[in-house]
Amino acid sequence: MNPFSHIKMRRPCQRSTALNVVLLLYLVGFFAPSLVSCITVRTPAELHASKGDTVTLSCTFTSTSRPTSKMTVDWSYRPQSGGPPQTFFHFASRAFPPLDGQFMGRIRWQGSPARGEASISLINATLKDNGTYTCSVRNPPDVHGSPNSHSVLTVTPKAPSVRFSDVAVLLAFILLPSAIITLILIGRMLCPKKHRSQSKAYRASIEVTEGEEYSSHPPGAKVKKTTCCDLYLMDSEDDDGYYNLKKRPPVDEGYAESQC
């Protein structure tokens, strides 16, 4: 019996174990990055606002690990003119707004880590705020992947707007008096014409009346007026006598008076 036969039997086993170890290390090295590189941060590529507006710098993230007290959020700003980015906001269990600089007193935390929100608000935007804003989120052990995202903010001057109160004041103090004066002038222009037309019609009616009188009596003749004496002597029941009295030729008024 060969005393070294048991040694030859152990060599294949040792080779198989070493191969398994190498394969396991290879699998761990291949899949380990994917297990920890699951955080992704997203922000809008461009943001537009007018001067004086409140701008929401939106930032959302997804992570395989639940956010804990170790999670941090940083916002940095790079001016439009260039230069290195400057961190102006930090969050770690609570918000740390800027205490100085151009953003002092104008940043509000709008995030909610439990819902994957890391947004902030920029109050009273100015033209100096134009530039690139970067949101960075760290949530150990998810520290790899895409923890940063950028947004370019463009602030423009506010267009002038006309308020309803301004229009009302303009109508009350300018247009309304002008309309009243215009109506008065039009009325003064039309009223004299109306009076002249009425006076012409009145004179025309008088002329027609005079013409009718001339057609009934010759020019220059005097029409005897019925006096109280004539009415007294006339029989009230005799209508023909009254009409004959009107048809008599004109006589002098003095004669009529003497008859009475």
Side-chain angles (χ1 to χ4, degrees):
M1 182 176 182
N2 188 357
F4 300 100
S5 60
H6 65 283
I7 298 176
K8 294 181 180 179
M9 295 295 296
R10 291 178 181 177
R11 288 181 179 177
C13 295
Q14 293 177 353
R15 292 177 182 178
S16 177
T17 303
L19 183 61
N20 291 336
V21 171
V22 172
L23 181 60
L24 179 61
L25 293 176
Y26 176 79
L27 293 175
V28 171
F30 181 79
F31 289 104
S34 62
L35 295 176
V36 298
S37 301
C38 295
I39 188 168
T40 303
V41 180
R42 296 182 180 88
T43 59
E46 295 182 357
L47 292 172
H48 298 273
S50 298
K51 183 179 178 181
D53 291 347
T54 297
V55 186
T56 299
L57 301 176
S58 178
C59 178
T60 59
F61 66 93
T62 56
S63 176
T64 56
S65 298
R66 185 176 181 179
T68 62
S69 58
K70 296 181 180 180
M71 191 202 79
T72 61
V73 178
D74 291 293
W75 277 92
S76 60
Y77 165 72
R78 185 174 181 270
Q80 191 175 23
S81 58
Q86 301 174 357
T87 300
F88 63 90
F89 180 84
H90 178 73
F91 176 87
S93 298
R94 68 183 185 91
F96 294 90
L99 300 178
D100 55 5
Q102 73 179 77
F103 299 107
M104 181 181 63
R106 297 196 297 133
I107 300 298
R108 288 182 183 176
W109 170 249
Q110 301 291 342
S112 177
R115 295 182 299 176
E117 291 281 347
S119 305
I120 60 174
S121 293
L122 174 61
I123 303 172
N124 192 19
T126 65
L127 300 180
K128 294 181 180 180
D129 297 333
N130 289 333
T132 303
Y133 293 79
T134 302
C135 177
S136 302
V137 180
R138 298 290 187 274
N139 185 35
D142 293 345
V143 294
H144 299 283
S146 302
N148 304 326
S149 187
H150 311 281
S151 294
V152 177
L153 175 63
T154 303
V155 181
T156 57
K158 195 171 221 177
S161 59
V162 179
R163 297 176 298 178
F164 177 76
S165 59
D166 298 335
V167 176
V169 171
L170 182 64
L171 291 175
F173 291 95
I174 298 179
L175 298 182
L176 187 59
S178 301
I180 294 175
I181 294 173
T182 303
L183 292 176
I184 293 174
L185 294 177
I186 293 174
R188 292 177 62 88
M189 293 172 62
L190 295 178
C191 287
K193 294 182 179 180
K194 184 177 181 180
H195 291 318
R196 286 197 297 269
S197 62
Q198 290 179 353
S199 61
K200 288 181 181 180
Y202 179 73
R203 288 197 299 269
S205 62
I206 294 176
E207 291 174 358
V208 172
T209 304
E210 292 177 352
E212 291 177 354
E213 291 180 358
Y214 292 153
S215 62
S216 301
H217 305 279
K222 294 183 179 179
V223 180
K224 180 184 177 182
K225 296 181 179 179
T226 304
T227 62
C228 296
C229 184
D230 295 333
L231 294 175
Y232 179 77
L233 296 176
M234 184 181 63
D235 187 3
S236 60
E237 295 179 356
D238 189 5
D239 294 339
D240 295 335
Y242 174 74
Y243 289 110
N244 293 331
L245 181 62
K246 292 188 67 176
K247 294 180 180 180
R248 289 178 185 178
V251 294
D252 294 335
E253 292 181 359
Y255 175 76
E257 292 177 356
S258 63
Q259 292 294 329
C260 184

